[in-house]
């Protein structure tokens, strides 16, 4: 029995819901749990039953199923060891929304509803974690609702190549998986053979030549299909627009103003990418932007809000790795302070190039080449070397060279206004965002906010800029807060190192005070914002200091672990893989 309780204690400690509790509270959880064995195929509970218990899976697997007419069973999810079952219905006071049965023999532990309610009432951190689960459930439900709305009609101007249209179909189907099997209709001048793709039947019917009959046929197809794409131009296209959801045109296409109910999306290779302009690289085929076009038109675009935190910002790299593995496409990136460096480097040169640069600075002394003391009272470090470091790291000079919308958050110290910088010089924008008050001198340059504007670190006002990413056009936002609740400032060892290397630095105590103030401000600012994200990640960086820049590889792993814990929530944002 002691061994069983020990195993249960480990399961509770590692569970993403209960891990936010202190050890004493987790012991209370264990004492409230009761074992229950379930045979293969036996039901734990059925849909429409009252929710009176919370379950923790100890061994084996459970199937979450929906039983339809005639006894047909549709599996919705598979739950494994360490995961919870039934907590959402319990909190909402609603009936069970689905049935749960054993997939093979399983062992679960259950807790009375009253015991769980008492825990939530006593420990606010548990209530916040529960609220996050409810929000995640809402995201999944909303995605399901989007996939089952009426068919969409997208008109693609003939200036865009047919290869782009085919790539767009594949990308869109990856986000319409909940309605398979369904039809996709492709109306084009060139005849095409029907084919199956990811459970969808892609058909190319012969359309009448008469405009009215053509319109009626397309309206009929829209009622019975998941998606209708029209690859055409000229007066026929203008005639079809009133029944369309979107008009896609290339930069060379004539200017066409669609009705207000139709979204106009331009595919181009120049200028700044925006919510209405998708930019492709000059040396890449236009089909490479099809996934982002599909996400944009389906309301599934994804934005990243990367928070500041000095060296702790390397945790963003681990998060980016998991997103890439899952196939989550990123459509907007907005960063504050270190988040601006990581986000900008990811888009400009790629995360791997940033890692290589990081590996070149593996010792504390290596980072001394990036700092330069000053006698000016507005900052201990002038920031000139930091600017040269950013120029060498980012490579690209201007925002309009990027294909993915990017911005950096800074604070205008003259007006006190938050500034989302997304035009002009990328290096200046990032340098403005990292100007820690009292540590780095404010950054002044002639940019989009006027000549001679002076900026300091944006983390003082908005460390995890979730709201700004939404304003840029993202439908779903992933927020990453790397500071945690008890971040560490510079260690005594780090201060001693600075005294030895910079003996003439008279403002060292001022640097230490400013750094501690900065750390606390960023931690609290980011904590308020990250819970506004659709998926909020808080890596456990408690074992590291904001100044331990030489421990980047280790810190990156904290971000990977946080993203792995939220893998199911993040996977909702990715398209399914087509067979």
């Amino acid at each position: 029995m002691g061994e069983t309780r020990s195993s249960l204690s480990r399961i509770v400690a590692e569970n993403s819901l209960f891990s936010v509790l202190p050890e004493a509270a987790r012991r209370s959880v264990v004492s409230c749990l009761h074992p229950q064995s379930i045979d293969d195929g036996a039901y734990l509970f059925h849909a429409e039953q009252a929710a009176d218990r919370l379950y923790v899976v100890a061994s084996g697997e459970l199937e979450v199923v929906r039983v339809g007419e005639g006894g047909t069973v549709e599996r919705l999810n598979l739950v494994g060891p360490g995961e919870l079952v039934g907590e959402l219905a319990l909190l909402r006071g609603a009936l069970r929304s689905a049935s749960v049965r054993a997939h093979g023999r399983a062992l679960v532990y259950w807790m009375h509803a009253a015991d769980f309610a008492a825990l939530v009432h006593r420990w606010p951190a548990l209530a916040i974690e529960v609220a996050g689960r409810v929000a995640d459930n809402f995201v999944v439900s909303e995605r399901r609702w989007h996939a089952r709305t009426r068919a969409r009609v997208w008109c693609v101007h003939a200036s865009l190549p047919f290869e782009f249209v085919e790539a767009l179909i594949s990308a869109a189907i990856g986000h319409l998986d909940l309605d398979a099997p369904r039809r996709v209709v492709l109306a084009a001048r060139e005849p095409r053979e029907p084919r199956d793709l990811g459970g969808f039947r892609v058909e190319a019917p012969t359309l009448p030549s008469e405009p009215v009959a053509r319109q009626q046929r397309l309206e009929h197809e829209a009622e019975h299909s998941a998606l209708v794409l029209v690859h055409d131009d000229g007066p026929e296209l203008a005639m079809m627009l009133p029944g369309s959801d979107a008009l896609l045109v290339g930069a060379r296409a004539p200017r066409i103003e669609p009705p207000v109910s139709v979204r106009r999306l331009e595919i181009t290779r120049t200028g700044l990418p925006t919510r209405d302009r998708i930019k492709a690289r000059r040396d890449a085929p236009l089909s490479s932007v099809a996934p982002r076009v599909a996400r944009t038109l389906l309301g599934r675009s994804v934005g990243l809000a990367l928070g500041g935190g000095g060296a702790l910002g390397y945790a963003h790299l681990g998060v980016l790795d998991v997103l890439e593995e899952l196939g989550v496409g990123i459509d907007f990136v907005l960063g504050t302070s270190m988040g601006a460096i990581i986000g900008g480097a990811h888009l400009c040169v790629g995360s791997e190039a940033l890692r290589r640069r990081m590996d070149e600075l593996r010792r504390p002394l290596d980072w001394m080449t990036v700092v330069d003391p000053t006698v000016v009272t507005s900052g201990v470090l002038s920031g000139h070397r930091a600017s040269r470091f950013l120029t060498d790291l980012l490579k690209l000079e201007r925002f309009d060279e990027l294909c993915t919308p990017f911005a950096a958050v800074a604070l205008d110290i003259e007006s006190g206004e938050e500034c989302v910088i997304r035009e002009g010089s990328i290096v200046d924008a990032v340098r403005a965002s990292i100007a820690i008050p009292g540590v780095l001198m404010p950054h002044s340059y002639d940019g989009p906010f006027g000549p001679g504007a002076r900026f300091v670190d944006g983390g003082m006002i908005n460390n995890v800029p979730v709201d700004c990413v939404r304003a840029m056009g993202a439908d779903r936002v992933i927020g990453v807060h790397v500071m945690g609740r008890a971040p560490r400032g510079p260690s005594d060892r780090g201060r001693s190192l600075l005294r030895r290397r910079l003996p003439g630095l008279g403002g060292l105590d001022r640097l230490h005070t400013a750094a501690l103030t900065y750390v606390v401000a960023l931690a609290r600012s980011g904590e308020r914002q990250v819970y506004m994200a659709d998926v909020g990640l808080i890596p456990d960086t408690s074992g590291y200091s904001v100044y331990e820049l030489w421990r980047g590889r280790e810190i990156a792993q904290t971000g990977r672990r946080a993203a792995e814990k939220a893998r199911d929530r993040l996977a909702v944002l990715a398209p399914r893989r087509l067979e």
Side-chain angles (χ1 to χ4, degrees):
M1 184 65 181
E3 183 179 348
T4 302
R5 284 289 162 180
S6 175
S7 175
L8 182 58
S9 298
R10 178 181 53 79
I11 291 174
V12 168
E14 294 177 354
N15 181 271
S16 59
L17 181 61
F18 295 125
S19 62
V20 300
L21 297 175
E23 185 177 351
R26 291 200 296 268
R27 286 198 295 268
S28 298
V29 171
V30 173
S31 66
C32 293
L33 293 172
H34 310 279
Q36 179 178 345
S37 297
I38 316 172
D39 293 329
D40 183 21
Y43 280 85
L44 185 63
F45 55 75
H46 293 275
E48 305 303 323
Q49 285 184 341
D52 59 350
R53 293 180 179 182
L54 166 75
Y55 298 91
V56 181
V57 182
S59 63
E61 293 180 319
L62 300 179
E63 286 183 309
V64 182
V65 300
R66 181 184 292 122
V67 182
E69 297 180 3
T72 59
V73 177
E74 175 190 4
R75 188 166 83 178
L76 305 177
N77 196 10
L78 192 65
V79 181
E83 298 185 76
L84 300 181
V85 178
E87 75 277 17
L88 294 181
L90 203 66
L91 288 162
R92 293 171 56 233
L95 299 178
R96 303 289 190 190
S97 59
S99 302
V100 173
R101 67 183 183 184
H103 181 63
R105 187 172 177 80
L107 172 65
V108 302
Y109 284 82
W110 58 268
M111 175 189 296
H112 282 296
D115 291 332
F116 186 56
L119 282 168
V120 172
H121 180 74
R122 183 177 180 186
W123 302 100
L126 183 61
I128 292 173
E129 185 68 22
V130 167
R133 286 175 176 252
V134 173
D136 293 337
N137 191 59
F138 172 76
V139 171
V140 176
S141 300
E142 189 177 7
R143 182 185 182 195
R144 181 177 293 112
W145 182 86
H146 272 303
R148 293 181 176 175
T149 54
R150 69 180 179 83
R152 294 169 171 82
V153 181
W154 296 346
C155 295
V156 184
H157 196 273
S159 66
L160 295 171
F162 197 83
E163 292 75 15
F164 167 78
V165 178
E166 290 184 318
L168 184 59
I169 290 174
S170 297
I173 285 177
H175 289 284
L176 292 171
D177 54 333
L178 294 172
D179 272 347
R182 288 288 299 275
R183 297 166 66 243
V184 170
V185 170
L186 173 58
R189 294 179 177 180
E190 308 169 27
R192 298 279 166 168
E193 291 294 325
R195 57 194 173 100
D196 292 318
L197 185 62
F200 284 74
R201 178 76 168 171
V202 182
E203 300 181 1
T206 302
L207 298 178
S209 57
E210 298 79 10
V212 175
R214 187 181 178 91
Q215 174 76 8
Q216 292 175 344
R217 175 61 184 273
L218 286 172
E219 290 178 351
H220 171 78
E221 298 292 0
E223 292 179 2
H224 300 87
S225 307
L227 183 66
V228 177
L229 286 93
V230 184
H231 188 229
D232 209 334
D233 58 6
E236 295 88 357
L237 178 64
M239 180 274 299
M240 289 183 287
L241 281 175
S244 305
D245 293 290
L247 167 65
L248 279 71
V249 299
R252 300 190 309 275
R255 185 71 186 179
I256 301 174
E257 291 297 338
V260 292
S261 60
V262 177
R263 180 169 188 176
R264 184 182 190 276
L265 193 62
E266 183 176 322
I267 318 295
T268 182
R269 297 182 187 274
T270 59
L272 285 168
T274 66
R275 68 172 69 193
D276 295 314
R277 178 183 292 168
I278 306 293
K279 185 177 177 182
R281 297 191 182 279
R282 291 187 179 277
D283 56 350
L286 283 180
S287 57
S288 64
V289 301
R292 183 179 171 200
V293 172
R295 291 191 298 270
T296 299
L297 296 181
L298 289 171
R300 308 252 170 76
S301 61
V302 178
L304 264 182
L306 304 179
L312 307 183
Y314 280 127
H316 296 313
L317 290 173
V319 173
L320 289 168
D321 287 343
V322 175
L323 294 178
E324 184 176 353
E325 292 168 9
L326 290 174
V328 177
I330 303 302
D331 305 291
F332 301 89
V333 178
L334 206 156
T336 298
S337 197
M338 190 62 167
I341 294 179
I342 300 295
H346 176 69
L347 295 179
C348 290
V349 297
S351 298
E352 195 54 43
L354 176 58
R355 279 188 173 85
R356 289 195 297 270
R357 185 71 180 100
M358 180 175 67
D359 287 341
E360 296 172 2
L361 303 167
R362 289 178 296 182
R363 300 175 304 161
L365 293 180
D366 295 334
W367 285 94
M368 303 309 297
T369 61
V370 184
V371 301
D372 39 4
T374 177
V375 295
V376 181
T377 58
S378 57
V380 175
L381 307 176
S382 71
H384 298 310
R385 290 182 181 175
S387 295
R388 289 197 295 271
F389 172 79
L390 291 174
T391 301
D392 179 62
L393 172 67
L394 298 177
K395 306 298 183 185
L396 299 182
E397 294 183 0
R398 304 187 61 79
F399 281 90
D400 55 14
E401 296 180 66
L402 295 172
C403 290
T404 300
F406 169 64
V409 177
L411 173 65
D412 186 328
I413 59 175
E414 302 295 339
S415 66
E417 295 292 327
E418 173 186 82
C419 296
V420 180
I421 309 174
R422 54 174 309 186
E423 297 180 44
S425 165
I426 299 175
V427 170
D428 279 320
V430 174
R431 169 64 180 84
S433 186
I434 67 172
I436 305 171
V439 179
L440 275 177
M441 287 178 56
H443 188 57
S444 177
Y445 77 106
D446 297 339
F449 292 90
R454 299 172 69 230
F455 301 98
V456 294
D457 195 308
M460 304 299 293
I461 190 170
N462 194 350
N463 193 36
V464 184
V466 171
D467 54 340
C468 299
V469 180
R470 292 197 197 282
M472 288 175 70
D475 299 297
R476 298 288 181 269
V477 178
I478 302 169
V480 188
H481 178 42
V482 300
M483 301 290 287
R485 295 193 60 86
R488 292 169 52 199
S491 63
D492 292 338
R493 176 174 176 267
R495 296 171 66 188
S496 298
L497 175 65
L498 284 174
R499 290 188 187 280
R500 290 198 307 271
R501 295 294 298 178
L502 304 172
L505 189 59
L508 185 58
D509 290 332
R510 176 159 49 92
L511 171 64
H512 180 58
T513 301
L516 288 177
T517 304
Y518 160 82
V519 165
V520 173
L522 262 64
R524 296 297 173 260
S525 170
E527 189 177 31
R528 290 192 297 270
Q529 281 279 13
V530 72
Y531 292 116
M532 297 171 58
D534 297 283
V535 181
L537 304 178
I538 306 180
D540 181 7
T541 57
S542 57
Y544 305 93
S545 164
V546 295
Y547 282 94
E548 293 177 315
L549 292 159
W550 50 91
R551 301 180 69 181
R553 289 279 182 178
E554 300 171 51
I555 297 172
Q557 291 304 309
T558 66
R560 168 173 279 281
R561 288 192 288 270
E564 288 285 0
K565 287 183 179 179
R567 197 175 186 89
D568 291 342
R569 297 155 60 192
L570 294 170
V572 172
L573 306 176
R576 71 184 181 110
R577 300 185 186 278
L578 302 182
E579 299 177 356

